[in-house]
Amino acid sequence: MQRTSLKLFRVGAMALAFALSFSGAAPASAASNKFVATSAGDYHTCALTSRGSAYCWGYNGYGQLGTGGYDWRDEPVRVAGNLKFASLTAGLLHTCALTSRGSAYCWGNNSNGQLGTGDTISTDQPVRVAGNLRLTSLTAGFSHTCALTSRGSAYCWGNNGEGQLGNGDTIDTAEPVR
């Protein structure tokens, strides 16, 4: 039984190392594509490299992989746009990322305004969040997103049916509100 467990552990570790070394459909060197952060939505996962590139994989029916299309991917594929990110977060069917200069970009399902673009149009590639805010952190919920500024102000956007945006009402909003 120990031999079987050890063998399964080795196979699992090799599979994980193999999966994390992929960039699109071709293998990438570990040095050029080291993942330093991950975030998992309900049907997709995204990772950030040490160089600030975002990669996503999984279900892509709403463009939440950010690849400029809607094909599902079973291996990491680079997010479109050649943007450099400092952090990322995955919601149910949307993804958002923050640049080192504090600009937020989101992509995927936008039926409740969770992309923060001022409308409810879904997109398959990163679009900048409205408001020209300089943010320091970002987190995605089921169908809403929230962020903090360097001065400690919280902004949220998207689904607000249960008051999750914290602005005193239950009306969805497609732009950041304080």
Side-chain angles (χ1 to χ4, degrees):
M1 188 165 190
Q2 283 184 329
R3 284 183 135 171
T4 304
S5 296
L6 184 56
K7 185 177 180 181
L8 289 174
F9 174 77
R10 285 183 183 157
V11 169
M14 288 181 356
L16 178 61
F18 180 74
L20 291 178
S21 70
F22 269 83
S23 165
S29 73
S32 68
N33 220 10
K34 180 181 177 189
F35 290 121
V36 295
T38 60
S39 184
D42 278 17
Y43 301 102
H44 73 293
T45 304
C46 295
L48 188 65
T49 69
S50 58
R51 295 183 178 187
S53 298
Y55 288 77
C56 296
W57 57 94
Y59 174 69
N60 195 29
Y62 293 88
Q64 64 266 36
L65 302 186
T67 59
Y70 297 92
D71 295 334
W72 300 8
R73 303 308 271 262
D74 59 2
E75 58 193 22
V77 179
R78 188 167 182 180
V79 171
N82 291 320
L83 294 163
K84 299 294 181 201
F85 298 113
S87 65
L88 54 73
T89 182
L92 173 68
L93 298 169
H94 75 291
T95 308
C96 295
L98 192 60
T99 68
S100 60
R101 293 187 169 203
S103 298
Y105 289 81
C106 297
W107 55 93
N109 184 22
N110 196 28
S111 59
N112 298 101
Q114 60 265 46
L115 302 186
T117 57
D119 59 39
T120 55
I121 300 168
S122 297
T123 182
D124 61 357
Q125 50 195 307
V127 291
R128 190 164 180 182
V129 171
N132 293 319
L133 298 169
R134 291 189 56 97
L135 305 170
T136 58
S137 69
L138 191 64
T139 189
F142 187 81
S143 57
H144 71 290
T145 308
C146 292
L148 292 176
T149 67
S150 61
R151 294 181 183 225
S153 296
Y155 287 84
C156 297
W157 54 92
N159 186 346
N160 197 27
E162 286 76 35
Q164 58 267 50
L165 302 185
N167 64 339
D169 64 41
T170 56
I171 300 168
D172 294 358
T173 182
E175 292 185 13
V177 293
R178 198 166 170 196

